[in-house]
Amino acid sequence: MDGVSATPFDVARIRQDFPILSQPQARGRPLVFLDSGASAQKPRVVIDAMVRCMETAYANVHRGAYRLSELATDAYEAARGATARFLNAADPREIVFTKNSTEAMNLVAHSWGRGVLKPGQAVVISELEHHANIVPWQMLRDDRGNELRVCRVTDAGEIDMDDLERHLSDGKVGLVAMAHMSNVLGTVTPVERIVALAHAHGAKVLLDGSQAAVHRRVDVQSIGCDFYCFTGHKLYGPTGIGVLWAKLEHLDRMPPFLGGGDMISVVTFEKSEWAPVPAKFEAGTPAIIEAVGLHAAIDYVTAIGMGAIEAHERALVDHATALLAQVPGLTLLGAAQDRGGVFAFGLDAAHPHDLATLLDRAGIAVRAGRHCAEPLHARFGLDNGTTRASFGLYTTKDEIDLLAQALTEAREFFK
Amino acid sequence: MSGLFDDLRDLYQEVILDHGRKPRNFRRLEDATATARGDNPMCGDRIELFVKQAPDGTIADAAFQGRGCAISTASASLMTEVVKGKTADQAKDLGAKFRELAMTGTCPDCGAALADDMERLAPLSGVHEFPSRVKCATLAWHALGAALDGAKEASSE
């Protein structure tokens, strides 16, 4: 496909694929976008694919007995197939399109949590979860009485595997729900070990891959988990589309999440029968254009190579780890052995919000606050939140150099 | 230093940095007649405001505690200074005018009666060029309005 650089990874070439990176910014400085962990920028191929869909092949899907609807249906289902291959799913029917990973986790909590999880069973999450993997389980607990347990993380920001085993040891845990990669600590969790341990104690495993699926190859069969989710907009795709992957056996047993059109096979005013998966979980008109955009994004990163992306990021992580350690007054959150390109930190002289305003002046976009992970910040005693720089495949070492320089100057400014 | 941030001195004037570092009236008022919490859920800034009204209704004392950025801390600090001696209605009117100042950078309706107060608050007017920061500057005033109205909580959202 066009717009994709040849290997080896050429970041200058990659950057040309992203129109926003060459847009003139306020005050004439180039954009240094270090907030990809919140949402990533979009390459031209994604933008073009969505425009092309609307210009040439758009109609509603699964219902029109005419050529255009068939084209749109093919495009929508092709996106499902591409997503299945991206995750190495055993079957495209295991892919359910949602609005984002938050909706995917809510789907599991509402549907599997209410329909399959037994009343006396517990759910285990961890201290490093963001709110989307905390709140749905609290809602389930409050509604159905399923206990919610929280596995500790170590001071380095890694999952405390002994604590996880302690939670699992009474055999009452039905589900372990954890992030594959922390959006604050950058920690990549040992998912194979977590799955093996959970399964040994009879618990299923849901992994939130919102951050991880962007940075490294994910093979759900090799990981062995039961549920996996990620979101399109962090994977250089559009907003409004996310993915829940689940083993067919789970999806088959789960009651529907939302009711409406497309998720039924027979409807009378007395009762309805559900459509087979995945349609059972995709009520109403889905995000058709967004699915096409997600497909293009998957093709884009696949053509670059998830391995090449991971290697590029590893070099950035090493560079940033070394450089940020030299910034006076800076405290980095998390020191996991296996970490991705997410760096949250405190700077002694400046509140994160003030710091973000200063960095913006230097053209650097970072996130300030608690990154939808308030309990994690409380765990590390950082109630004021942190400033977070997160990388994308277009991030360069020069940008990290500029960040470090700007942080040093910002400290002088506030001193 | 190359002075990467020199042009931010309009926003972070020395008086803001000073009040941000050393907020005035940063304490609990044990004999407060009204209190309210102010939360900015977006950034997690949180203040607890204490007001002591005299029998004639004027604000005899005001103080605050909490956490926040330089802008929100300085704004709360300056506010506790300027509202002393005001009636509840005067304080709320001043708050409305300050919000206008924070959002637009000017306050054409402020008039001579408020001139001295607005001059004291003027260092915060630079915030209008930073829409994402306006709520930082107005959080304390939201809390003051809530306290004077007998509400316990205010949100900048």
Side-chain angles (χ1 to χ4, degrees), chain A residues 27 29 351 353-355 357-359 361-362 369-370 374 383-384 405-406 408-410 412-415, chain B residues 1-5 7-9 11-12 17 21 42-46 67-71 130 133 136:
Chain A
R27 296 178 293 278
R29 298 184 197 279
H351 187 280
H353 239 199
D354 296 314
L355 189 54
T357 293
L358 255 68
L359 294 177
R361 202 35 78 110
R370 290 173 297 188
E374 187 170 347
D383 287 335
N384 274 336
Q405 184 210 334
T408 305
E409 285 195 37
E412 292 298 317
F413 183 92
F414 281 112
K415 258 170 83 175
Chain B
M1 286 298 154
S2 64
L4 197 54
F5 306 122
D7 57 352
L8 280 171
R9 287 294 172 199
L11 178 64
Y12 291 102
L17 292 178
R21 287 189 204 105
M42 203 272 284
C43 62
D45 284 1
R46 181 170 292 175
R67 64 184 195 219
C69 61
I71 307 281
F130 301 82
R133 305 302 304 279
C136 308

Side-chain angles (χ1 to χ4, degrees), chain A residues 109 112-113 117-126 133-151 163-164 166-177 203:
Chain A
W112 188 85
L117 187 70
K118 296 186 184 72
Q121 288 187 303
V123 173
V124 178
I125 59 173
S126 82
N133 196 26
I134 300 172
V135 181
W137 310 112
Q138 289 175 337
M139 292 164 71
L140 180 69
R141 175 197 63 196
D142 296 345
D143 189 32
R144 307 279 289 212
N146 294 101
E147 185 193 352
L148 179 57
R149 301 178 181 179
V150 183
C151 174
D163 195 45
L164 179 60
R166 207 155 36 243
H167 285 301
L168 287 162
S169 59
D170 66 2
K172 288 185 179 168
V173 175
L175 181 75
V176 174

Side-chain angles (χ1 to χ4, degrees), chain A residues 4-78:
Chain A
V4 171
S5 66
T7 49
F9 195 90
D10 178 355
V11 69
R13 175 68 193 84
I14 294 280
R15 289 176 68 83
Q16 291 173 12
D17 297 338
F18 290 80
I20 207 165
L21 296 179
S22 54
Q23 286 291 307
Q25 301 297 314
R27 296 178 293 278
R29 298 184 197 279
L31 171 65
V32 177
F33 189 76
L34 296 178
D35 197 21
S36 294
S39 197
Q41 298 298 343
K42 317 305 173 198
R44 171 64 70 192
V45 286
V46 167
I47 300 164
D48 286 351
M50 295 171 74
V51 170
R52 201 161 51 239
C53 169
M54 287 184 281
E55 287 181 345
T56 65
Y58 180 75
N60 211 327
V61 294
H62 297 146
R63 57 192 79 188
Y66 51 90
R67 179 72 188 134
L68 210 51
S69 178
E70 289 165 2
L71 280 175
T73 303
D74 286 350
Y76 182 69
E77 291 305 323

Side-chain angles (χ1 to χ4, degrees), chain A residues 75-214:
Chain A
Y76 182 69
E77 291 305 323
R80 194 187 309 280
T83 307
R85 288 190 296 280
F86 181 64
L87 294 176
N88 192 31
D91 189 312
R93 290 176 297 162
E94 295 179 331
I95 302 296
V96 176
F97 285 130
T98 62
K99 189 168 67 184
N100 45 43
S101 36
T102 297
E103 186 179 283
M105 282 182 277
N106 274 275
L107 195 166
V108 177
H110 282 257
S111 173
W112 188 85
R114 283 171 173 74
V116 182
L117 187 70
K118 296 186 184 72
Q121 288 187 303
V123 173
V124 178
I125 59 173
S126 82
E127 285 181 323
L128 61 68
E129 304 311 319
H130 71 139
H131 298 165
N133 196 26
I134 300 172
V135 181
W137 310 112
Q138 289 175 337
M139 292 164 71
L140 180 69
R141 175 197 63 196
D142 296 345
D143 189 32
R144 307 279 289 212
N146 294 101
E147 185 193 352
L148 179 57
R149 301 178 181 179
V150 183
C151 174
R152 284 200 294 261
V153 297
T154 65
D155 290 342
E158 296 176 324
I159 298 291
D160 183 335
M161 293 299 287
D162 293 337
D163 195 45
L164 179 60
E165 185 158 24
R166 207 155 36 243
H167 285 301
L168 287 162
S169 59
D170 66 2
K172 288 185 179 168
V173 175
L175 181 75
V176 174
M178 278 195 195
H180 190 174
M181 175 175 152
S182 163
N183 70 326
V184 176
L185 305 167
T187 306
V188 177
T189 55
V191 288
E192 287 89 354
R193 285 175 59 206
I194 290 168
V195 168
L197 190 61
H199 283 177
H201 289 87
K204 306 293 184 228
V205 177
L206 162 70
L207 295 175
D208 170 11
S210 305
Q211 299 292 334
V214 179

